[in-house]
């Protein structure tokens, strides 16, 4: 299928038949996708593209419908063709691997032509650029309007103009001056403030013997520039103007050309006419960029950020894109005329950063990204491209700034013996050499801002891009560098990289295995490249075989290495970063491997170290600056999978078992006491298990409300479960059963039923190992409630009988009462409502018999509520009404939104059974209001909504009842 956006939007089949898309909205949706070729576009952005500022309430659903209509149109037009429109995460993307897009063909052809020009094949390069320009049928997406579409068209329009400029420069180099004058005259008329077209027209006129006309063009341009923008021409154009004035031509004379000149070279000056302006012998133009990786994939957002940096750094009045070479009469070697894009006619002069610091962890792809981008934009820097690997994180010593300056100066034409031996003098000469040039400087693998600072050009037309594993905050603060931090590759990009290296056909035959491989490699580009290269070398094995080999290797870091190339290994890359850390940071990094999951808070990290948060936070920041830890914002940090493996490896080698056990126990204690603090807020009147006081390092949690406690439990859910698993595996057993029991108040309303069961089973096993009958009784009772929530009533009954017997054996009457009350829940679940009432009444009697200072008031109110539920289910309406309303009053008076919402739900059910739907709806809406305002009991909320739907009602306000307690 062929897509065309360089003009009106068109879609054609492989046989050339045009596809009708079915409407303007489908066209706008497809246009937004094609402006981001191959990349995902989220649904909100598609909504903006289709409806601009006035989307309907159903816009997201309509986008999905429109995508379905496009898919059907594509399938109908080409039933056997490859897929086109794919769902990608939270949006959609156009798959272009087997399809054509004129804008991509245009960009690729321009790139190839520029490479051809750089190789000295000027005629072939000019022909290639003409071929690329012929793809344009009009403005981008002609006929479609909108801010997003217009914004997406700007880069393509700019690329078209710069390609046109490159083509005309090549024509000039080939002597085609006269032939280009009509074309340039039209371009200057269409883009009157684009300075490069003006300079090209002036040179073409002068070379054709029409210097006076060239001066007239300059006079008109400078007048317009001053009138509309209040600006002067660039130094390059001023030099060109001066060269023409001194070329020996009367500014008032007319054209002075030889009509008999050869057509290919254009009309030259007639005999006796002034000679063309001479160009001095150029100094060397360095082109030091290393090769761009052919398998580079993805990083569209980062490439766009670098593009934005380059454009923002270009002063108004200077052009944004430049060809590889642009001969200018009497100009500084390697410089080119500037221009102002018509899209920026109304811009104002700003001072923008000329330095970008690209940072990220080892193997994240910093150098690959920057080199790829630098090659893509090298045409903007006719003064050359300087590159140096500073060895900041390398087996070799870091390069001194003076050593790099010497290399750069020699590349710029300074004889070796004339390079100053004093670093400050070398830096001054370097800045002088670049003063009038437009040069891109790439400083790769920097150790610190101090290593980089002497290498920064002072010229406003030069850009510097630095890569480093360090944060380079000093470069940002003092030198105004714009930071760009790289994270792991998004999953689609990681899969695409593997696809590119091992071959599309092979990758698509095993999509699940390729996705798993990306996950196993932690989406780290270095690891992905290593794994993909190993697969490519062994075509006889499946991708699934390689994934299994990695998983079974026993040491993933060892497996992710290239034979006979020690530097190309994930472990070697991480070693270089780890060794540069201070001792305290290395210690903390190793301890982080003991934390469950990939993320943790600064307070949890402090618990690992047995220190207060104020001591540990600066060390965490050191790790984040070294990109061995990711600061996710606020108080939270993340260690990605391969870094976690590496930290565990270093911990095993350098941290003693006793130190690791103590750290793990401190972290478990921190989670246990935070879980207990959450329980005090979620179910403040419920009896809890006693806990020993934590150490002096412990700091109380930041949350102080039930809502805050709920949010903390939800945000830490996976780590809490991981901590239970770790305690069950490594000990202590007391923690392994206490933490799940302390979490019961959270589990009670949590939708994570399977995790709740797993934690309870681990708690039972730990208590049995420890021969702790008190702990076993609580753990079995909690396991029973988890099984009941899952509807497994037979298993629930068996656990409750064991729990009751354990509590009775140790004389724990409150524990026995809890087990009896939960037996009542079991009976409710199995339809034995009379037996349920007896159990609830028996539990209530035991709870009330406890001394008042130890009585579990929460359990008492639960039993009273459940007696009302049992009466309702048994058909005893009056008793149900009495117990449920009394329970509701008590829950409200004690400020217990958890039990209040549950009781309101049961009252709604009670009124429904009495055929009083209006009263039922009121109670259900009140329950919903309490749930939404105070607690996130997602399972109960679903039940309430289902009950309202059963009444034919919607979730509206509580029908004039005021507050939820009304």
């Amino acid at each position: 299928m062929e897509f065309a956006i360089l003009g009106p939007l068109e879609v054609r089949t492989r046989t050339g038949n045009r596809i009708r898309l079915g409407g303007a909205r489908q066209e706008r949706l497809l246009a937004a996708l094609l402006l981001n070729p191959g990349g995902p576009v989220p649904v909100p952005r598609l909504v903006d593209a289709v409806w601009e500022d006035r989307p309907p309430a159903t816009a997201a659903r309509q986008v999905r419908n429109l995508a379905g209509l496009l898919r059907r149109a594509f399938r109908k037009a080409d039933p056997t063709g490859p897929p086109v429109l794919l769902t990608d995460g939270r949006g959609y993307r156009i798959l272009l691997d087997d399809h054509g897009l004129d804008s991509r063909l245009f960009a690729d052809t321009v790139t190839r032509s520029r490479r051809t020009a750089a190789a000295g094949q000027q005629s072939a390069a000019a022909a290639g650029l003409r071929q690329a320009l012929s793809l344009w049928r009009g403005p981008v997406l002609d006929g479609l309007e909108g801010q997003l579409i217009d914004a997406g068209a700007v880069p393509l329009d700019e690329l078209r103009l710069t390609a046109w400029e490159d083509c005309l420069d090549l024509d000039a180099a080939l002597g085609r001056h006269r032939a280009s004058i009509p074309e340039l005259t039209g371009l200057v008329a269409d883009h009157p403030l684009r300075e490069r077209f003006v300079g090209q027209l002036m040179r073409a006129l002068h070379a054709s013997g029409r210097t006076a006309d060239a001066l007239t063009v300059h006079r008109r341009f400078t007048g317009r520039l001053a009138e509309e923008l209040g600006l002067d021409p660039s130094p390059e154009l001023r030099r060109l103007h001066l060269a023409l004035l001194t070329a020996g031509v009367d500014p008032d004379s007319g054209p002075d050309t030889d009509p008999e000149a050869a057509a290919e070279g254009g009309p030259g000056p007639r005999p006796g006419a002034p000679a063309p302006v001479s160009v001095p012998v150029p100094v060397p133009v360095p082109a030091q960029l290393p090769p761009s990786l052919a398998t580079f994939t993805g990083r569209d957002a980062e490439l766009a950020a670098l593009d934005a940096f380059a454009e923002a750094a270009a002063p108004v009045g200077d052009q944004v894109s430049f060809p590889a070479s642009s001969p200018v009469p009497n100009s500084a070697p390697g410089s080119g005329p500037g221009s102002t894009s018509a899209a920026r006619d109304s811009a104002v002069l700003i001072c923008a950063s000329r330095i970008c610091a690209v940072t990220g962890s080892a193997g994240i792809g910093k150098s690959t990204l920057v080199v790829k981008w630098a090659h893509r934009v090298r045409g903007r820097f006719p003064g050359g491209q300087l590159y140096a690997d500073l060895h900041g994180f390398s087996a070799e010593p870091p390069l001194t700034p003076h050593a790099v300056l010497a290399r750069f100066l020699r590349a710029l034409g300074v004889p070796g013996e004339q390079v100053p031996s004093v670093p400050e003098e070398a830096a001054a000469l370097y800045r002088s050499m670049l003063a009038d040039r437009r040069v891109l400087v790439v400083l790769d693998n920097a150790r610190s801002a101090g290593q980089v600072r002497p290498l920064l050009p002072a010229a406003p037309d030069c850009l510097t891009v630095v890569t480093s594993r360090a944060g380079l905050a000093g470069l940002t603060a003092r030198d105004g560098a714009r930071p760009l931090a790289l994270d792991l590759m998004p999953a689609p990009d990681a899969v695409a990289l593997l696809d590119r290296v091992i071959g599309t056909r092979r990758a698509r035959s095993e999509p699940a295995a390729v996705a798993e491989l990306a996950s196993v490699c932690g989406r780290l580009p270095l690891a992905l490249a290593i794994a993909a290269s190993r697969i490519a070398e062994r075509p006889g094995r499946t991708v699934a075989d390689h994934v299994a080999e990695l998983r079974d290797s026993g040491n993933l870091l060892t497996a992710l290495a290239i034979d006979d190339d020690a530097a190309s290994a994930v472990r070697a890359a991480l070693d270089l970063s780890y060794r540069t850390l201070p001792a305290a940071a290395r210690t903390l990094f190793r301890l982080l491997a003991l934390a469950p999951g990939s993320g943790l808070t600064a307070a949890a990290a402090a618990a690992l170290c047995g220190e207060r948060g104020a001591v540990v936070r600066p060390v965490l920041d050191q790790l984040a600056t070294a990109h061995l830890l990711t600061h996710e914002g606020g108080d939270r940090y993340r260690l990605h999978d391969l870094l976690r493996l590496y930290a565990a490896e270093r911990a095993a080698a350098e941290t003693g078992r006793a130190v690791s056990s103590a750290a793990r126990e401190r972290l478990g204690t921190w989670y246990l006491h935070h879980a207990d603090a959450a329980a005090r807020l979620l179910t403040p009147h419920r009896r809890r298990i006693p806990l020993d006081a934590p150490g002096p390092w412990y700091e109380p949690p930041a949350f102080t409300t039930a809502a805050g406690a709920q949010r903390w439990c939800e945000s830490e859910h996976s780590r809490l479960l991981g901590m239970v698993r770790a305690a069950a595996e490594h000990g202590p057993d007391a923690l392994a059963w206490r933490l799940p029991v302390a979490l019961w108040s959270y589990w009670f309303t949590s939708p994570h039923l399977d995790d709740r069961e797993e934690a309870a089973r681990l708690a039972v096993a730990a208590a049995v190992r420890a021969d702790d009958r008190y702990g076993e009784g609580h753990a079995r009772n909690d396991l029973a409630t988890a099984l009941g929530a899952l509807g497994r009533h037979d298993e629930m009954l068996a656990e409750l009988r064991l729990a009751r017997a354990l509590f009775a054996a140790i004389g724990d009457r409150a524990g026995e009462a809890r087990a009896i009350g939960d037996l009542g829940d079991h009976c409710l679940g199995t339809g034995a409502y009379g037996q349920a009432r007896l159990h609830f009444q028996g539990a209530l009697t035991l709870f009330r018999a406890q001394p008042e200072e130890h009585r579990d008031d929460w359990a008492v109110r639960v039993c009273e509520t459940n007696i009302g539920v049992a009466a309702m289910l048994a058909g005893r309406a009056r008793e149900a009404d009495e117990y449920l309303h009394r329970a509701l009053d008590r829950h409200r008076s004690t400020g217990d939104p958890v039990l209040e919402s549950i009781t309101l739900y049961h009252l709604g059910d009670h009124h429904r059974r009495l055929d009083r739907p209006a009263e039922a709806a009121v109670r259900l809406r009140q329950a919903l209001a309490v749930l939404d305002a105070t607690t996130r009991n997602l399972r109960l909320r679903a039940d309430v909504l289902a009950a309202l739907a059963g009444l034919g009602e919607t979730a509206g306000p509580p029908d004039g009842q005021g507050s939820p307690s009304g």
Side-chain angles (χ1 to χ4, degrees):
M1 201 162 293
E2 298 293 331
F3 297 95
I5 64 173
L6 302 181
L9 177 63
E10 287 186 3
V11 185
R12 297 184 183 274
T13 65
R14 289 171 290 183
T15 59
N17 295 326
R18 185 169 180 178
I19 300 173
R20 302 296 177 183
L21 300 177
R25 289 179 180 174
Q26 287 96 309
E27 290 182 352
R28 294 169 71 84
L29 179 70
L30 180 59
L33 292 168
L34 292 174
L35 285 171
N36 187 40
V41 182
V43 168
R45 188 168 180 83
L46 294 174
V47 168
D48 291 342
V50 175
W51 286 280
E52 286 286 317
D53 298 328
R54 301 181 119 187
T58 59
R61 185 172 72 248
Q62 289 193 49
V63 163
R64 290 190 284 273
N65 293 339
L66 293 171
L69 291 172
L70 285 174
R71 285 194 180 110
R72 284 195 287 275
F74 296 149
R75 280 198 299 269
K76 181 179 178 181
D78 192 0
T80 62
V84 181
L85 178 56
L86 301 182
T87 302
D88 194 321
R90 297 183 180 178
Y92 296 90
R93 67 184 174 100
I94 295 291
L95 185 65
L96 290 174
D97 292 353
D98 299 304
H99 305 280
L101 175 62
D102 60 352
S103 61
R104 176 170 284 189
L105 176 60
F106 169 71
D108 291 344
T109 305
V110 169
T111 300
R112 285 195 303 272
S113 300
R114 285 173 172 165
R115 289 174 181 164
T116 302
Q121 302 174 39
Q122 295 174 319
S123 181
L129 289 172
R130 290 288 177 191
Q131 181 183 359
L133 292 167
S134 69
L135 295 171
W136 287 73
R137 299 167 290 112
V140 176
L141 294 167
D142 195 13
L144 294 179
E145 297 179 350
Q147 293 179 1
L148 288 175
I149 290 175
D150 292 344
V154 168
L156 288 171
D157 290 333
E158 182 62 27
L159 182 59
R160 180 193 191 189
L161 292 174
T162 56
W164 218 327
E165 291 165 341
D166 291 355
C167 183
L168 289 164
D169 273 344
L170 290 167
D171 285 346
L174 292 166
R176 301 168 182 167
H177 307 292
R178 180 180 180 184
S180 66
I181 290 175
E183 184 177 16
L184 278 165
T185 302
L187 287 169
V188 169
D190 291 339
H191 307 279
L193 293 176
R194 197 165 182 94
E195 192 173 283
R196 191 169 168 202
F197 283 146
V198 172
Q200 289 171 322
L201 178 57
M202 289 170 64
R203 286 194 297 273
L205 289 167
H206 168 76
S208 301
R210 297 170 58 184
T211 307
D213 290 341
L215 295 172
T216 300
V217 169
H218 179 269
R219 184 167 59 251
R220 289 173 180 168
F221 171 73
T222 55
R224 183 186 291 269
L225 191 66
E227 180 181 348
E228 297 190 16
L229 297 180
L231 297 176
D232 294 325
S234 69
E236 291 86 355
L237 197 67
R238 290 200 297 271
R239 283 193 291 269
L240 172 60
H241 179 237
L242 180 61
L244 298 184
L245 286 174
T246 59
V249 178
D250 181 0
D252 296 324
S253 65
D256 200 359
T257 61
D258 180 7
E260 304 297 325
E264 169 63 21
R270 66 186 173 100
V277 178
S278 61
V279 181
V281 177
V283 299
V285 177
Q288 296 185 333
L289 295 176
S292 179
L293 192 63
T295 55
F296 181 89
T297 305
R299 296 294 192 194
D300 292 339
E302 290 83 358
L303 287 168
L306 286 168
D307 285 339
F309 153 71
E311 293 202 14
V316 173
D318 288 346
Q319 70 179 48
V320 172
S321 296
F322 294 85
S325 62
S326 178
V328 182
N330 276 358
S331 67
S335 63
S339 73
T340 302
S341 168
R344 295 185 179 82
D345 285 355
S346 60
V348 295
L349 185 62
I350 59 172
C351 181
S353 171
R354 297 186 298 275
I355 312 161
C356 183
V358 181
T359 59
S361 65
I364 205 75
K366 305 176 293 295
S367 301
T368 305
L369 167 71
V370 169
V371 169
K372 176 70 175 181
W373 175 80
H375 275 286
R376 202 171 74 168
V377 300
R378 63 189 296 269
R380 302 184 185 188
F381 301 95
Q385 305 88 43
L386 294 168
Y387 172 89
D389 180 351
L390 303 182
H391 297 302
F393 297 85
S394 172
E396 304 173 38
L399 291 180
T400 65
H402 185 253
V404 180
L405 285 169
R407 294 182 185 183
F408 283 175
L409 288 171
R410 288 194 294 271
L412 292 166
V414 178
E417 65 276 8
Q418 295 182 21
V419 173
S421 59
V422 178
E424 291 78 7
E425 293 179 5
L429 178 58
Y430 168 71
R431 291 192 295 270
S432 298
M433 293 288 293
L434 298 184
D436 293 321
R437 304 182 69 164
R438 193 180 295 271
V439 175
L440 175 63
V441 181
V442 177
L443 303 174
D444 197 10
N445 194 13
R447 182 67 171 267
S448 65
Q451 186 188 25
V452 168
R453 200 166 279 124
L455 307 175
L456 299 176
D461 290 344
C462 292
L463 292 186
T464 305
V465 182
V466 186
T467 76
S468 179
R469 300 183 192 184
L472 301 182
L475 209 61
T476 303
R478 177 175 161 185
D479 302 282
R482 180 175 298 184
L484 175 60
L486 297 195
D487 203 346
L488 299 173
M489 294 189 82
D493 286 356
V495 170
L497 189 152
L498 293 170
D499 184 317
R500 189 108 178 236
V501 177
I502 68 179
T504 300
R505 179 175 300 177
R506 191 174 179 190
R508 290 186 181 175
S509 67
E510 297 181 80
V514 172
E516 186 180 4
L517 179 61
S519 177
V520 169
C521 292
R523 295 185 284 114
L524 185 72
L526 175 60
L528 290 164
I530 292 171
S533 67
R534 292 167 70 95
I535 293 173
E537 290 171 356
R538 293 183 279 180
R541 302 190 65 200
T542 66
V543 177
D545 289 338
H546 287 278
V547 173
E549 181 181 307
L550 284 175
R551 290 198 180 278
D552 297 340
S553 65
N555 194 319
L556 187 59
L557 293 173
T558 299
L560 290 171
I562 300 292
D563 296 337
D564 302 322
D565 189 357
S568 297
V570 174
R571 180 187 287 112
L574 297 177
D575 277 340
L576 295 170
S577 294
Y578 175 74
R579 290 171 188 165
T580 65
L581 294 173
R586 290 199 302 272
T587 299
L588 176 57
F589 179 69
R590 296 193 299 269
L591 292 180
L592 292 177
L594 304 176
S598 60
L600 81 171
T601 60
L608 273 172
C609 299
E611 298 281 1
R612 308 288 280 189
V615 175
V616 173
R617 281 185 181 86
V619 187
L620 287 167
D621 290 338
Q622 285 180 340
L623 290 173
T625 298
H627 291 283
L628 288 171
L629 189 67
T630 301
H631 185 200
E632 294 189 310
D635 207 31
R636 187 165 296 281
Y637 297 80
R638 175 173 57 85
L639 199 67
H640 75 65
D641 292 347
L642 291 177
L643 276 172
R644 182 176 172 78
L645 279 175
Y646 179 76
E649 191 176 87
R650 301 304 339 133
E654 302 178 42
T655 303
R657 183 175 300 177
V659 173
S660 295
S661 296
R664 191 180 286 112
E665 186 169 349
R666 280 192 302 270
L667 182 61
T669 300
W670 183 86
Y671 274 114
L672 175 61
H673 281 269
H674 270 55
D676 183 66
R680 292 173 186 271
L681 293 166
L682 293 171
T683 54
H685 306 289
R686 185 174 183 267
R687 184 185 177 206
R688 292 175 302 281
I689 58 172
L691 301 178
D692 295 332
W697 48 266
Y698 180 78
E699 295 178 272
F703 55 79
T704 56
T705 64
Q710 184 85 9
R711 284 193 297 271
W712 180 83
C713 289
E714 289 172 354
S715 67
E716 295 290 333
H717 172 84
S718 62
R719 283 167 286 278
L720 287 164
L721 180 60
M723 198 69 246
V724 175
R725 291 168 176 162
E729 180 180 356
H730 302 286
D733 288 328
L735 174 63
W737 75 257
R738 279 188 169 89
L739 183 53
V741 170
L743 284 167
W744 187 92
S745 297
Y746 165 60
W747 294 127
F748 180 61
T749 60
S750 168
H752 305 289
L753 299 180
D754 291 335
D755 292 347
R756 178 181 178 183
E757 180 195 359
E758 180 190 351
R761 288 196 182 280
L762 292 172
V764 170
V768 170
R769 282 195 303 271
D771 194 22
D772 188 331
R773 288 186 290 173
Y774 174 81
E776 184 183 351
H778 279 285
R780 288 195 182 279
N781 198 81
D782 287 358
L783 175 58
T785 61
L787 292 167
L790 289 164
R792 289 149 59 184
H793 299 293
D794 291 343
E795 296 174 73
M796 177 187 185
L797 179 60
E799 293 296 336
L800 285 173
R801 285 173 175 168
L802 288 170
R804 182 178 182 183
L806 284 164
F807 285 130
I810 62 175
D812 187 341
R813 303 293 283 171
E816 188 178 359
R818 184 166 296 160
I820 293 171
D822 288 334
L823 282 168
D825 278 336
H826 166 264
C827 292
L828 286 181
T830 57
Y833 305 132
Q835 189 66 32
R837 188 187 189 285
L838 292 176
H839 282 309
F840 292 137
Q841 192 62 59
L844 189 58
T845 300
L846 284 175
F847 280 129
R848 286 174 173 167
Q850 297 296 306
E852 187 172 352
E853 63 272 18
H854 299 302
R855 186 177 300 155
D856 192 337
D857 178 64
W858 193 84
V860 168
R861 290 187 287 111
V862 168
C863 286
E864 290 178 338
T865 303
N866 284 340
I867 290 172
V869 174
M872 175 190 71
L873 295 173
R876 296 192 299 273
R878 181 176 298 176
E879 182 182 353
D881 196 84
E882 176 187 349
Y883 270 94
L884 289 174
H885 278 96
R886 185 167 63 204
L888 178 62
D889 291 341
R890 291 197 61 191
H891 301 330
R892 285 174 169 173
S893 66
T894 54
D896 190 335
V898 173
L899 293 183
E900 180 186 357
S901 58
I902 292 172
T903 306
L904 284 166
Y905 166 70
H906 287 307
L907 275 169
D909 192 21
H910 171 58
H911 290 308
R912 180 190 64 80
R913 291 169 184 272
L914 296 177
D915 198 23
R916 301 205 292 258
E919 294 174 64
V922 168
R923 289 305 191 185
L924 290 170
R925 288 199 182 102
Q926 288 178 343
L928 198 61
V930 173
L931 287 169
D932 290 343
T934 59
T935 178
R936 292 190 60 188
N937 189 338
L938 298 180
R939 289 186 290 126
L940 179 61
R941 194 176 195 281
D943 291 340
V944 172
L945 291 173
L948 280 168
L951 294 171
E953 299 283 345
T954 58
D959 291 346
Q961 295 298 313
S963 70
S965 297

